[in-house]
Amino acid sequence: VVACGVATVVTSRVGYESLRESQAGYYAAHRFADVFAALERAPESLRTALAAIPGVAAVETRIVAQVTLDVPGLAEPATGRLVSIPAIRSPILNDIHLRRGRWIEPGRPDEVIASEAFADANQLEVGDRLGAVLRGRWQTLRIVGVGISPEYVYEIQGTNLFPDNKRFGVLWMSRDALGPAFDLDGAFNDVSLQLAPGARELDVIDRADRLLDRYGGLGAYGRKDQISHSFLSDEIRQNRVFGTIMPAIFLGVAAFLLHIVLARLVATQREQIAVLKAFGYPSLDVGMHYLEMALVCVLAGSLLGAVLG
């Protein structure tokens, strides 16, 4: 029991730290944004004003649209979130890590990159085709790549409590194709900001809201309120809680069992204890004898648990 408790402590702690470091490293490598905002429609020229906000290091304007998808093998329609990306690959905020396939190519408006969770749930592969309804117009989309993004590690529709990767997925599509399809050519309806070191997030959010308010801004928010990051961070924090409660249970049971064993041992050896004390052995020495027996169990269990953990 001691070994289980110590192993749980070590494994949970190491796992928690490893996950936190992996999360931070992945976010940094793929330039996960710090501030997000959705709006109705704003001209691309507003990008300059957003970039001029004190504390803003990078700006990414995008087109994001919700569409209905016809997925092969799925009896009912699925929901897709189309997110615009440049046709020629370049460093962007919330960048995509390709797991298989390739980036979209210029001049091919039907090409998309599908999120890995959605593709795997529906057994979609590179080269497969999907049907989509873009503002009442039917279009066939061809999957040329499968990837993941720090923005959608935890892929969930805004109105749902749990992810449904079979019926909701993210598709990254050329901005040149999305703009005309949704009457957003030369405009955007979603923006992400990366903050400079030392910048105050609340000040940036306040200034961004002022700029976006006249364009139907729905309110900027920080990374901590971003759906995927919030759910993912909660999942990681659960590891820390698990590493506190479970070891306490195991170690509490171990202490209880050791107490029962030693109490019964002392009760059966009362005569021997009396003889030792009659010969002049102090109570401390007798007590240490039984304590050493407990320490052997604890140290052996701790060593085994640390190695396993």
Side-chain angles (χ1 to χ4, degrees):
V1 177
V2 173
C4 288
V6 175
T8 306
V9 171
V10 176
T11 304
S12 299
R13 185 64 187 179
V14 172
Y16 171 76
E17 295 297 339
S18 178
L19 286 171
R20 286 296 301 270
E21 290 177 9
S22 297
Q23 180 190 32
Y26 177 51
Y27 283 178
H30 292 80
R31 307 181 70 201
F32 188 35
D34 298 296
V35 175
F36 305 82
L39 56 144
E40 291 295 326
R41 188 182 194 278
E44 186 61 25
S45 57
L46 188 65
R47 180 191 184 110
T48 304
L50 290 168
I53 296 176
V56 172
V59 179
E60 191 70 45
T61 58
R62 308 180 299 181
I63 298 171
V64 178
Q66 208 93 321
V67 298
T68 300
L69 298 175
D70 179 24
V71 181
L74 202 60
E76 56 192 36
T79 301
R81 179 172 296 163
L82 296 181
V83 180
S84 69
I85 54 175
I88 300 175
R89 188 162 195 180
S90 58
I92 58 174
L93 297 185
N94 311 313
D95 206 355
I96 303 168
H97 174 72
L98 283 174
R99 302 282 281 180
R100 51 188 185 268
R102 60 170 175 82
W103 196 262
I104 60 174
E105 293 184 355
R108 297 185 177 181
D110 62 327
E111 294 187 345
V112 296
I113 297 173
S115 60
E116 185 177 44
F118 179 67
D120 290 348
N122 290 286
Q123 299 180 344
L124 297 172
E125 293 296 338
V126 173
D128 289 347
R129 296 179 182 272
L130 303 171
V133 180
L134 280 65
R135 292 191 70 188
R137 184 172 60 86
W138 177 267
Q139 182 171 339
T140 301
L141 305 177
R142 185 165 64 93
I143 298 174
V144 296
V146 175
I148 56 176
S149 165
E151 190 179 8
Y152 296 104
V153 175
Y154 200 90
E155 201 168 304
I156 185 171
Q157 198 170 359
T159 55
N160 294 348
L161 295 176
F162 302 100
D164 185 359
N165 298 128
K166 205 169 183 66
R167 294 173 178 81
F168 174 75
V170 179
L171 302 172
W172 291 276
M173 188 175 182
S174 168
R175 183 163 181 173
D176 295 336
L178 269 183
F182 289 91
D183 193 25
L184 287 168
D185 202 7
F188 65 94
N189 65 355
D190 190 273
V191 62
S192 301
L193 308 175
Q194 188 176 56
L195 302 184
R200 293 192 68 238
E201 182 182 277
L202 290 179
D203 290 344
V204 173
I205 289 175
D206 181 59
R207 288 174 176 267
D209 281 339
R210 291 183 201 172
L211 288 172
L212 298 175
D213 185 57
R214 61 179 294 191
Y215 299 102
L218 302 179
Y221 54 91
R223 182 188 290 182
K224 64 181 176 61
D225 296 318
Q226 201 266 344
I227 293 178
S228 174
H229 173 76
S230 178
F231 275 94
L232 182 63
S233 296
D234 286 343
E235 293 280 352
I236 294 175
R237 278 193 292 268
Q238 286 179 16
N239 282 270
R240 195 173 190 176
V241 175
F242 178 80
T244 303
I245 296 176
M246 293 304 293
I249 294 173
F250 278 110
L251 296 176
V253 171
F256 174 75
L257 292 176
L258 283 173
H259 169 73
I260 295 297
V261 170
L262 288 177
R264 297 186 69 175
L265 189 61
V266 169
T268 59
Q269 296 182 356
R270 291 177 65 85
E271 294 181 1
Q272 290 87 338
I273 293 172
V275 171
L276 289 171
K277 297 200 65 168
F279 276 99
Y281 284 92
S283 299
L284 180 61
D285 289 347
V286 176
M288 284 301 297
H289 169 71
Y290 290 100
L291 182 60
E292 286 170 0
M293 294 177 63
L295 286 174
V296 169
C297 298
V298 172
L299 291 175
S302 297
L303 180 61
L304 180 62
V307 172
L308 293 176

